[in-house]
């Protein structure tokens, strides 16, 4: 099997309109992928990213990144990588069928994918995901439906979906169903874009972090959304493989958050210039045998000396911020090489790693992630925030999951408080639930109602989740 770009760049949508042709004659000169871009930036779901955590929850600083600014950075890096890689394919004739128009298309797709890759994340960043997963693990066997524990009622895949709740799968769900603009088909984005954002094209029952293949690490889509994913997969001809552009999107995401976490950590006082320099020197000493034309420690020192020479008030801050830009450029070049040098394996669906695998860039990325973890994510400040966030997420899960179990159930009448809680949930989300619940069994409806609660909670911003918690508990947080 070999993937082909004509099929991979399909402009098909779940709901078709107009002629359906890729470049139909019209007064509107936008390509289908440019239409995707404008649908995304005009959506409320995208705007809500401005009040969702990247690293520092509920931070009052104007400098610290949010999910929105992070997504804009990923979008920019992804488009740059698309330009580099597309040009390389053309210049070195890696694929005779690849055209200049295809290069433009992949740039537009990647720009859009960067904007929505985190759009399904719950409040409080990745910790919010962990809290939801843990809540299901702790409570699914305690809750009952018609006198039986939920973990005995639901099918294996339904349970695994909840135990492995994943922001990436939630993003796919949101843009394909929950963004109820015209109908139940969500934003109705192109299939090429939708497949690109699915990092892990496997169901929850096939997760296998030990397989050695990056695509098997996590859940890619829920049982509730499997039908639309299968249709997309069949249309694009991927047959269980990652879309090639997914490798590029993932590299852009890694570059953005690993460099940004270091910059934010310095600005917040968690990481010093000297500590960063010490770690970089040790990295280069440890991997001295690995071929590397770029010395991170030498570049950091160069930036510091330049700041001092031009009499910058804080040469350490000047050095780190400028160093971040240089490192990002280096990593973009490495990711470009990673894709183009493994082009055949990627297009045959056999490539199993990220684009930095086996290079000094991989070691540098590992260091940046580990440094942020040691200096920031295990700090008392972050732990205190996460304990507070856990209390809020757990409370909201307790109340809303408890309420939706009996919602739309013929054998159970909702209590007064549960009726009020269900009334808080977006009418659009409930409309989507009722549409997809038609003709389903009681167990399938129950599963969809559990997702209805997580849909609602995931749609909350950090501030809204905190405010709702305060209102429901009449507390001051």
């Amino acid at each position: 099997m070999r993937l082909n770009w004509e099929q991979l760049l399909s402009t098909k949508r779940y709901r078709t309109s107009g002629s359906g042709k890729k470049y139909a004659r019209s007064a509107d000169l936008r390509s289908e992928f440019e239409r995707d871009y404008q649908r995304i930036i005009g959506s409320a779901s995208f705007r809500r990213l401005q009040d969702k955590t990247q690293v520092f929850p509920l931070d009052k600083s104007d400098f610290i990144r949010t999910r929105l600014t992070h997504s804009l950075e990923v979008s920019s890096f992804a488009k740059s990588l698309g330009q580099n890689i597309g040009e390389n394919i053309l210049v070195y004739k890696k694929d005779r069928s690849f055209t200049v128009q295809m290069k433009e298309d992949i740039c537009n797709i990647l720009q859009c994918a960067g904007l929505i890759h985190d759009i399904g994340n719950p409040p409080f960043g990745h910790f919010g995901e962990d809290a939801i997963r843990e809540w299901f693990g702790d409570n699914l066997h305690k809750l009952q439906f018609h006198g039986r524990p939920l973990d005995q009622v639901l099918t294996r895949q339904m349970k695994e979906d909840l135990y492995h709740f994943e922001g990436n799968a939630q993003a796919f769900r949101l843009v394909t169903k929950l963004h109820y603009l015209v109908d139940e088909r969500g934003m109705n984005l192109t299939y090429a874009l939708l497949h690109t954002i699915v990092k892990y094209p496997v169901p929850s029952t096939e997760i296998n972090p030990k397989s050695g293949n990056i695509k098997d690490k996590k859940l890619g889509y829920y049982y509730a959304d499997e039908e639309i994913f299968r249709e997309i997969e069949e249309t694009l001809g991927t047959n269980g493989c990652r879309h090639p552009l997914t490798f590029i999107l993932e590299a852009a995401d890694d570059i953005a958050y690993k460099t940004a976490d270091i910059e934010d950590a310095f600005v917040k006082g968690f990481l010093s210039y000297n500590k960063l320099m010490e770690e970089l020197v040790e990295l280069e000493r440890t991997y001295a045998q690995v071929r590397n034309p770029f010395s991170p420690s030498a570049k950091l020192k160069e930036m510091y000396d330049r700041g001092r020479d031009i009499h910058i008030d804080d040469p350490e801050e000047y050095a780190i911020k400028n160093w971040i830009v240089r490192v990002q450029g280096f990593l973009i070049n490495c990711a470009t090489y990673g894709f183009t040098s493994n082009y055949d394996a990627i297009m045959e669906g056999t490539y199993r790693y990220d684009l930095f695998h086996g290079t000094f860039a991989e070691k540098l990325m590992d260091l940046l992630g580990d440094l942020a973890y040691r200096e920031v994510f295990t700090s008392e400040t972050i732990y205190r925030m996460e304990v507070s966030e856990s209390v809020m997420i757990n409370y909201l899960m307790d109340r809303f999951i408890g309420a939706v179990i009996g919602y739309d159930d013929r054998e159970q009448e909702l209590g007064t408080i549960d009726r009020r809680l269900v009334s808080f949930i977006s009418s659009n989300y409930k409309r989507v639930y009722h549409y997809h619940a038609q003709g389903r069994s009681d167990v399938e409806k129950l599963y969809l109602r559990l997702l209805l609660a997580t849909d609602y909670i995931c749609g909350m911003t950090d501030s809204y989740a905190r405010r709702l918690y305060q209102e429901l508990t009449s507390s001051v947080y």
Side-chain angles (χ1 to χ4, degrees):
M1 181 194 79
R2 187 174 177 88
L3 304 173
N4 74 83
W5 287 109
E6 183 66 33
Q7 198 171 359
L8 289 168
L9 300 179
S10 170
T11 59
K12 184 178 179 181
R13 300 179 190 273
Y14 199 24
R15 179 184 67 250
T16 57
S17 60
S19 68
K21 294 180 180 178
K22 194 169 188 177
Y23 302 104
R25 185 182 298 275
S26 163
D28 187 346
L29 300 180
R30 295 174 300 169
S31 73
E32 290 299 323
F33 304 122
E34 289 171 325
R35 291 171 190 260
D36 282 345
Y37 179 84
Q38 288 168 337
R39 291 182 187 203
I40 293 164
I41 62 171
S43 70
S45 300
F46 180 67
R47 289 195 297 275
R48 279 196 288 269
L49 293 173
Q50 68 186 309
D51 189 17
K52 288 200 173 188
T53 293
Q54 177 61 19
V55 177
F56 299 97
L58 304 170
D59 194 90
K60 299 298 187 290
S61 168
D62 289 337
F63 173 84
I64 299 302
R65 289 167 172 83
T66 64
R67 283 283 167 193
L68 178 62
T69 52
H70 166 70
S71 297
L72 291 169
E73 289 174 339
V74 174
S75 176
S76 175
F77 290 146
K79 184 175 183 179
S80 294
L81 280 167
Q83 290 170 330
N84 288 357
I85 290 168
E87 188 65 18
N88 183 282
I89 296 171
L90 288 169
V91 170
Y92 293 99
K93 297 180 172 57
K94 290 183 175 294
D95 194 323
R96 297 288 180 178
S97 67
F98 192 81
T99 66
V100 173
Q101 182 60 58
M102 288 176 176
K103 173 189 170 183
E104 182 178 334
D105 286 344
I106 68 172
C107 289
N108 287 328
I109 292 168
L110 287 165
Q111 184 179 33
C112 292
L115 295 180
I116 60 173
H117 78 287
D118 274 350
I119 205 167
N121 280 35
F124 314 126
H126 290 299
F127 183 77
E129 289 178 275
D130 293 338
I132 291 173
R133 280 192 287 265
E134 289 180 11
W135 189 93
F136 280 119
D138 292 341
N139 291 279
L140 211 56
H141 66 287
K142 299 177 185 176
L143 299 169
Q144 295 202 340
F145 178 68
H146 297 177
R148 294 176 61 202
L150 262 58
D151 67 340
Q152 295 180 21
V153 173
L154 299 172
T155 68
R156 178 174 171 240
Q157 187 171 352
M158 292 173 183
K159 289 186 291 187
E160 294 300 323
D161 283 358
L162 304 176
Y163 293 146
H164 295 93
F165 171 84
E166 175 63 40
N168 289 308
Q170 188 68 26
F172 181 76
R173 177 169 174 75
L174 190 153
V175 297
T176 55
K177 290 183 177 175
L178 302 181
H179 183 82
Y180 200 104
L181 183 62
V182 175
D183 57 23
E184 69 286 348
R185 294 175 177 84
M187 291 186 187
N188 198 35
L189 302 172
T190 56
Y191 281 10
L193 172 56
L194 291 174
H195 202 322
T196 297
I197 67 169
V198 179
K199 283 187 176 182
Y200 313 103
V202 296
S204 57
T205 51
E206 295 178 19
I207 297 171
N208 184 7
K210 297 180 180 179
S211 74
N213 194 324
I214 195 169
K215 77 177 183 67
D216 300 330
K217 279 177 58 179
K218 296 179 182 178
L219 158 69
Y221 52 86
Y222 301 125
Y223 168 71
D225 311 314
E226 187 164 351
E227 184 179 345
I228 178 62
F229 178 74
R230 294 299 183 199
E231 181 178 329
I232 292 169
E233 188 177 50
E234 182 177 348
T235 301
L236 273 60
T238 50
N239 299 313
C241 300
R242 268 187 165 188
H243 194 295
L245 298 186
T246 306
F247 290 98
I248 303 174
L249 173 64
E250 183 175 53
D253 187 21
D254 288 346
I255 293 169
Y257 86 80
K258 289 196 175 181
T259 56
D261 285 357
I262 296 299
E263 185 176 10
D264 288 354
F266 174 80
V267 170
K268 294 289 289 185
F270 287 91
L271 178 67
S272 69
Y273 169 88
N274 288 333
K275 176 63 174 176
L276 177 59
M277 177 62 80
E278 174 188 317
E279 296 275 348
L280 293 175
V281 168
E282 177 61 21
L283 175 73
E284 292 175 33
R285 185 192 65 77
T286 303
Y287 296 102
Q289 75 282 3
V290 179
R291 182 177 176 275
N292 173 38
F294 177 81
S295 168
S297 64
K299 183 59 66 174
L300 181 61
K301 178 65 163 57
E302 177 189 332
M303 294 297 102
Y304 176 84
D305 290 343
R306 179 184 298 175
R308 190 181 55 188
D309 291 345
I310 61 177
H311 308 295
I312 295 293
D313 290 339
D314 188 344
E316 292 185 353
E317 179 181 21
Y318 175 89
I320 286 181
K321 289 184 177 180
N322 280 277
W323 178 82
I324 291 291
V325 175
R326 303 312 192 279
V327 168
Q328 288 169 345
F330 166 68
L331 293 173
I332 286 173
N333 289 336
C334 291
T336 299
Y337 175 78
F339 190 95
T340 55
S341 63
N342 293 288
Y343 184 76
D344 287 337
I346 289 171
M347 296 304 289
E348 288 164 4
T350 59
Y351 189 66
R352 302 164 63 85
Y353 312 103
D354 66 33
L355 298 185
F356 303 104
H357 178 71
T359 68
F360 179 78
E362 179 183 35
K363 307 304 181 186
L364 177 58
M365 294 282 272
D366 287 346
L367 171 68
L368 297 181
D370 182 60
L371 189 55
Y373 176 78
R374 285 185 278 118
E375 300 298 317
V376 180
F377 294 109
T378 58
S379 67
E380 182 179 343
T381 300
I382 295 297
Y383 279 171
R384 285 180 178 275
M385 289 180 180
E386 289 178 344
V387 169
S388 297
E389 293 156 14
S390 176
V391 170
M392 288 186 276
I393 290 287
N394 286 341
Y395 180 83
L396 294 173
M397 291 288 288
D398 286 343
R399 300 314 303 265
F400 286 99
I401 293 289
V404 299
I405 289 175
Y407 175 61
D408 190 36
D409 180 35
R410 292 169 297 179
E411 298 183 24
Q412 185 173 338
E413 185 175 346
L414 286 182
T416 303
I417 299 302
D418 284 347
R419 281 202 307 274
R420 283 156 175 73
L421 286 167
V422 170
S423 75
F424 296 167
I425 298 176
S426 161
S427 59
N428 283 344
Y429 287 3
K430 286 185 282 194
R431 190 180 297 120
V432 169
Y433 160 75
H434 285 292
Y435 176 85
H436 291 285
Q438 293 178 57
R440 301 288 184 176
S441 68
D442 286 347
V443 172
E444 288 175 308
K445 288 181 179 179
L446 169 64
Y447 164 74
L448 292 176
R449 291 198 296 274
L450 296 176
L451 290 185
L452 175 61
T454 54
D455 291 341
Y456 176 54
I457 291 171
C458 287
M460 296 179 185
T461 63
D462 292 7
S463 297
Y464 180 84
R466 179 177 62 172
R467 185 167 66 251
L468 182 60
Y469 171 79
Q470 290 173 343
E471 290 172 356
L472 295 180
T473 60
S474 299
S475 66
V476 178
Y477 170 70

